[in-house]
Amino acid sequence: MPSKAKSQSGSKKQWMNNFLTDGKSMLLAYDQGLEHGPSVDFNDKNVDPSYIMEIALKGRFNGIVFQKGLAEKYYTGKVPLILKVNGKAALAKGEPVSRQNCSVEYAVSLGAKAIGYTIYLGSAYEADMFQEFGRIQEEAHDAGLPAIAWVYPRGAVIQNDTSREIVSYAARTGLELGADAVKIKYTGDTDSFSWAVKSAGKALVFMSGGPKAPTDDAFLKQVKGAIDAGATGLAVGRNVWQHPDPVKMADYLRQIIFERKAVEVMQK
Ligand code: FBP
């Protein structure tokens, strides 16, 4: 009995439709409490997941990324949910590995409209994550959900995780493993990021935000560079919810992503 995922292969289904506005997208990521620890990234305000849910709504984000515990206790259903089904903490040292902690079925029961999964490309454990993602992607498609892969090159063999060569390898890995969208780091300029976008083929490309940039303009220029390179959008966390006015930052991002404005001519 072929799975639904198999019977839909080759079809024109745009899996990411729930997260797109005119083909573009802006996602809010909030799994840093697990990934980095609360004392590294959070303050009195943004340690509260309800505050982030409010930013997602007021900032008109196309989606919010939560781990299952946050989704169970804080998700209000007003912004499409991407349920991250694996994750790791920052305390253990050595080659990175991130394993499944939530089933696709349970993610669906929490209201997920997409599944998120991190793959550490280059890690000694990459094969385990490739295999696990392969199964999860098929289960997600069977449930009618897209699978978004955070593809982060990491481990002792990775010298520079933002080089053209490595970021495009991450993008291609996501495509070949069946991701409907890949979340990758910015390479630093439009030309090199264009190659990563080409390498991702029909998998949509989301730029990962990274630590808070020193100025708004510095961050907005990266976003503009990624959009000019053909990225679908941005999946951002700290540069929004660490901002003193996250809704204003979301407005700047919308002007770049949806209106294609240059940073210099934006309404501020
Ligand atoms: P940021 O915009 O805050 O960088 O969030 C994007 C993200 O992918 C999060 O989903 C995740 O928690 C974090 O980055 C992982 O960061 P790291 O590069 O330290 O693994």
Side-chain angles (χ1 to χ4, degrees):
M1 179 80 176
S3 70
K4 274 187 242 153
K6 278 183 189 146
S7 63
Q8 279 170 351
S9 66
S11 77
K12 293 250 185 287
K13 182 172 166 73
Q14 173 44 273
W15 290 96
M16 289 294 292
N17 266 346
N18 279 325
F19 298 93
L20 301 177
T21 305
D22 297 332
K24 293 288 177 195
S25 185
M26 193 168 97
L27 307 175
L28 190 62
Y30 190 68
D31 57 343
Q32 291 80 354
L34 172 64
E35 296 290 334
H36 302 152
S39 310
V40 176
D41 286 338
F42 298 161
N43 61 24
D44 279 351
K45 251 183 169 172
N46 60 35
V47 72
D48 178 4
S50 301
Y51 174 67
I52 310 300
M53 201 58 249
E54 205 181 297
I55 295 170
L57 189 62
K58 289 191 182 150
R60 293 158 52 198
F61 280 84
N62 293 92
I64 183 159
V65 180
F66 276 158
Q67 284 278 348
K68 82 168 175 187
L70 299 190
E72 285 173 336
K73 295 174 183 63
Y74 298 92
Y75 181 56
T76 60
K78 293 178 181 157
V79 176
L81 175 66
I82 298 156
L83 210 293
K84 195 73 204 311
V85 297
N86 72 338
K88 70 161 187 57
L91 300 175
K93 299 297 168 214
E95 289 293 293
V97 61
S98 184
R99 300 299 301 254
Q100 183 173 14
N101 56 34
C102 175
S103 69
V104 169
E105 196 182 354
Y106 194 63
V108 170
S109 78
L110 292 173
K113 294 284 180 286
I115 297 300
Y117 186 95
T118 298
I119 295 168
Y120 293 115
L121 176 65
S123 162
Y125 302 107
E126 69 174 19
D128 295 346
M129 291 171 277
F130 288 0
Q131 187 178 38
E132 195 166 74
F133 178 71
R135 176 179 47 73
I136 286 168
Q137 183 262 16
E138 290 174 21
E139 289 172 9
H141 280 196
D142 278 350
L145 268 56
I148 306 175
W150 280 224
V151 192
Y152 290 164
R154 203 155 294 177
V157 299
I158 303 295
Q159 310 279 318
N160 175 2
D161 68 349
T162 56
S163 72
R164 176 184 190 268
E165 181 202 351
I166 291 295
V167 175
S168 56
Y169 206 155
R172 190 68 181 199
T173 300
L175 172 70
E176 300 212 11
L177 294 180
D180 302 292
V182 291
K183 181 165 172 335
I184 52 176
K185 297 209 168 172
Y186 189 50
T187 51
D189 65 86
T190 302
D191 270 5
S192 55
F193 204 67
S194 297
W195 180 238
V197 172
K198 276 209 178 74
S199 303
K202 289 186 181 177
L204 306 185
V205 171
F206 287 77
M207 184 190 112
S208 183
K212 185 150 182 334
T215 64
D216 288 358
D217 275 15
F219 181 59
L220 295 170
K221 281 182 180 152
Q222 290 178 31
V223 177
K224 175 74 175 140
I227 294 296
D228 286 350
T232 292
L234 175 69
V236 61
R238 290 165 284 181
N239 276 284
V240 168
W241 46 254
Q242 285 181 353
H243 195 280
D245 190 344
V247 175
K248 191 193 274 177
M249 177 46 101
D251 178 55
Y252 298 159
L253 294 173
R254 270 203 313 279
Q255 292 184 52
I256 294 175
I257 297 171
F258 301 111
E259 299 170 34
R260 301 293 301 264
K261 282 198 183 156
V263 177
E264 297 73 21
V265 305
M266 280 172 36
Q267 298 264 300
K268 289 201 190 157

